[in-house]
Amino acid sequence: MEPSAIIADVLSVVNTSRLIVHLFQTQMQRNRERRQRKLREHMNSERGIDLSQSTGPRPLDIMVAMGHVDPVERRFWARETSTDWWDRIVLQDWDESQWLQNFRMSKGTFLELCDLLSPALKRQDTRMRAALTIQKRVAIALWKLATPDSYRSVANQFGVGKSTVGVAVMQVAHAIVDLLLSKVVTLGDMQVIIDGFAAMGFPNCGGAIDGTHIPILGPEHQGSQYINRKGYFSMVLQALVDHKGRFTNINVGWPGKVHDARVFKNSGLFRRLQQGVYFPDRKITVGDVEMPTVILGDPAYPLMPWLMKPYTGALDTEKELFNYRLSKCRMVVECAFGRLKGRWRSLLTRSDLSQKNIPIVIAACCVLHNLCETKGETFMVGWEVEANRLAADYAQPDTRAIRRSQRDALRIREALKARFQTDQGNQ
């Protein structure tokens, strides 16, 4: 090879190397400027900044410098998400019917809920992004609980990432349970409750109890324990309600295979009723039998001095009347479950949350149910239709009747049966 050719090749390599170095330095400077510009532009927005960009030239840039590829203008691509729908439309333009339909409560109740949860949901802005407002996180959670929509669908609706929806749901659910459960799911004025059930036909009654199954995905461990008598995976919610269908005590988390009576006997509610400390000491006399404040259950529960259940087997007129009175009052707990699931329809589809998180979300929905019922929030007719459609895929299992009973409980039930017959004859 001629010396001149060698020199030319060497110079070409040197020039190329200089060009690569220059390109590298230019790229570094551009990246710094771009990051600074994006930080300034989005400091007060909810979009994150992608800091995963390469700090050096890509192979394509080097190939352009070597003359192997025609240069093409590079553009900075980022996932664009809009918050205008929430910030400018929902908060400013939606009327009460739209709030009720989509968030299951009026705007006033929603704002009150946000205030109640604010001590647990306050977040600080960072240099990288502005924290989601409390109102927006609560709205995301309510929307997800009220609909069977996917996380991606809710994320697109609110202009946030899919993972943000999951985080918001659990943050809000934990806040509801931590701050409101003990205040909202509790016995109210016992005299009002007793008078309410008495007006429906049952004396000295402090509540109605039942269980319902919430469908879930099959757990990784001990999955067979969660398969109920209908053949799907579920978790049991046991609830005691007052005459208005508001939850006064809940127990959630037992696997779907477990019988209602076993759930009940292992609950704190059973222990306190057994010890006579759950209700204030208020006894009445029925005939010649002393009767404490009782709760009402279906045949799956044991007959106790403080728990009345229907007669089973062959029924005469007196037993049918007793069952009618009891069932009329016990219907409030079934209606409460219907309204709970009608408002918070996520409870009607298989939850994909972890076994640890599912009870938190169910409990939070119970709190929200009580809040809406206490505030007199409208339960729209169409919700029950939609809930029944979704619930058809996961029918509630039948429970086996429990025949065990205590002598005192039998005497109380017989006395009530006789009294109801007397009342009927005096009408």
Side-chain angles (χ1 to χ4, degrees):
M1 180 179 292
E2 293 295 329
S4 58
I6 295 174
I7 293 172
D9 287 344
V10 170
L11 290 175
S12 176
V13 171
V14 170
N15 289 335
T16 299
S17 299
R18 288 176 177 173
L19 182 58
I20 292 173
V21 171
H22 176 72
L23 177 63
F24 181 85
Q25 293 173 338
T26 302
Q27 186 69 27
M28 290 284 287
Q29 179 63 27
R30 287 176 178 174
N31 284 338
R32 283 194 295 270
E33 293 174 354
R34 181 164 55 241
R35 288 197 297 270
Q36 293 170 356
R37 183 170 63 254
K38 290 296 178 182
L39 280 170
R40 287 193 301 269
E41 291 176 356
H42 300 295
M43 197 65 176
N44 295 321
S45 74
E46 290 178 349
R47 286 185 303 210
I49 299 172
D50 186 358
L51 298 181
S52 63
Q53 299 291 323
S54 171
T55 56
R58 300 180 306 167
L60 177 63
D61 298 324
I62 296 176
M63 293 176 71
V64 169
M66 296 291 290
H68 296 159
V69 179
D70 293 332
V72 178
E73 179 184 2
R74 293 184 63 204
R75 300 182 61 186
F76 180 85
W77 292 95
R79 180 176 179 271
E80 295 293 335
T81 57
S82 174
T83 63
D84 287 351
W85 175 78
W86 166 253
D87 296 330
R88 300 181 184 178
I89 297 176
V90 177
L91 281 179
Q92 298 182 24
D93 295 336
W94 271 17
D95 59 27
E96 287 300 322
S97 65
Q98 290 172 302
W99 275 90
L100 182 65
Q101 180 65 45
N102 292 284
F103 297 108
R104 275 20 193 187
M105 60 183 66
S106 64
K107 186 177 181 180
T109 300
F110 170 82
L111 295 175
E112 182 178 340
L113 176 63
C114 292
D115 288 341
L116 292 171
L117 300 180
S118 62
L121 293 179
K122 287 181 179 177
R123 292 289 186 273
Q124 298 296 322
D125 294 347
T126 69
R127 290 185 59 196
M128 307 308 299
R129 68 171 71 227
L132 289 181
T133 64
I134 293 174
Q135 292 179 3
K136 188 167 186 177
R137 271 180 287 158
V138 173
I140 290 171
L142 295 185
W143 189 285
K144 184 67 179 75
L145 295 176
T147 69
D149 291 356
S150 66
Y151 286 93
R152 185 177 299 280
S153 174
V154 179
N156 291 338
Q157 191 76 35
F158 284 87
V160 298
K162 186 173 71 171
S163 62
T164 301
V165 175
V167 171
V169 169
M170 290 315 304
Q171 284 179 347
V172 172
H174 275 289
I176 290 173
V177 171
D178 292 343
L179 297 179
L180 302 182
L181 179 62
S182 62
K183 299 177 181 178
V184 176
V185 180
T186 185
L187 277 175
D189 187 325
M190 273 305 302
Q191 190 59 53
V192 172
I193 295 173
I194 288 173
D195 290 346
F197 279 112
M200 289 189 280
F202 212 100
N204 211 27
C205 176
I209 190 170
D210 202 358
T212 189
H213 288 252
I214 309 298
I216 63 173
L217 292 178
E220 294 182 2
H221 305 291
Q222 297 182 326
S224 62
Q225 294 298 311
Y226 287 84
I227 301 176
N228 60 39
R229 291 168 65 87
K230 287 293 184 179
Y232 62 89
F233 296 98
S234 67
M235 191 171 282
V236 178
L237 164 64
Q238 173 190 280
L240 183 71
V241 306
D242 65 13
H243 62 297
K244 292 288 190 179
R246 293 171 296 206
F247 299 115
T248 57
N249 183 278
I250 60 172
N251 182 290
V252 60
W254 280 84
K257 187 177 181 179
V258 179
H259 191 278
D260 284 355
R262 183 182 169 196
V263 174
F264 179 49
K265 285 201 168 185
N266 284 276
S267 67
L269 174 63
F270 179 90
R271 291 190 295 272
R272 283 177 280 168
L273 286 167
Q274 186 79 308
Q275 295 165 4
V277 297
Y278 185 74
F279 292 125
D281 187 13
R282 185 186 187 279
K283 295 182 175 67
I284 64 171
T285 300
V286 181
D288 60 350
V289 178
E290 192 176 63
M291 172 184 167
T293 303
V294 300
I295 64 175
L296 309 179
D298 65 16
Y301 291 91
L303 183 66
M304 308 288 287
W306 40 262
L307 193 158
M308 293 290 103
K309 58 184 280 187
Y311 287 96
T312 55
L315 303 178
D316 57 22
T317 303
E318 291 183 350
K319 290 180 179 179
E320 287 180 348
L321 177 59
F322 175 89
N323 285 1
Y324 169 76
R325 290 274 195 103
L326 186 147
S327 296
K328 181 181 178 182
C329 293
R330 204 188 64 79
M331 281 292 293
V332 292
V333 67
E334 295 181 5
C335 291
F337 285 147
R339 291 167 77 89
L340 168 73
K341 296 177 181 180
R343 276 198 178 95
W344 312 111
R345 288 176 293 167
S346 62
L347 300 180
L348 291 166
T349 57
R350 293 188 299 173
S351 174
D352 58 358
L353 296 170
S354 68
Q355 288 173 256
K356 180 180 69 174
N357 286 336
I358 291 174
I360 300 296
V361 170
I362 296 174
C365 288
C366 292
V367 174
L368 292 171
H369 165 88
N370 275 16
L371 182 65
C372 291
E373 293 293 317
T374 301
K375 292 290 184 180
E377 297 290 350
T378 301
F379 185 88
M380 301 180 74
V381 176
W383 294 354
E384 185 175 1
V385 175
E386 174 67 8
N388 290 337
R389 183 185 68 81
L390 292 172
D393 294 332
Y394 302 102
Q396 289 295 303
D398 298 325
T399 51
R400 302 182 305 277
I402 299 295
R403 300 190 181 278
R404 295 188 302 272
S405 58
Q406 295 184 1
R407 183 178 302 175
D408 289 343
L410 288 170
R411 293 179 64 238
I412 292 172
R413 186 165 69 172
E414 288 296 306
L416 285 168
K417 180 188 70 171
R419 173 171 167 174
F420 293 164
Q421 188 65 32
T422 302
D423 292 345
Q424 185 79 359
N426 293 333
Q427 290 180 356

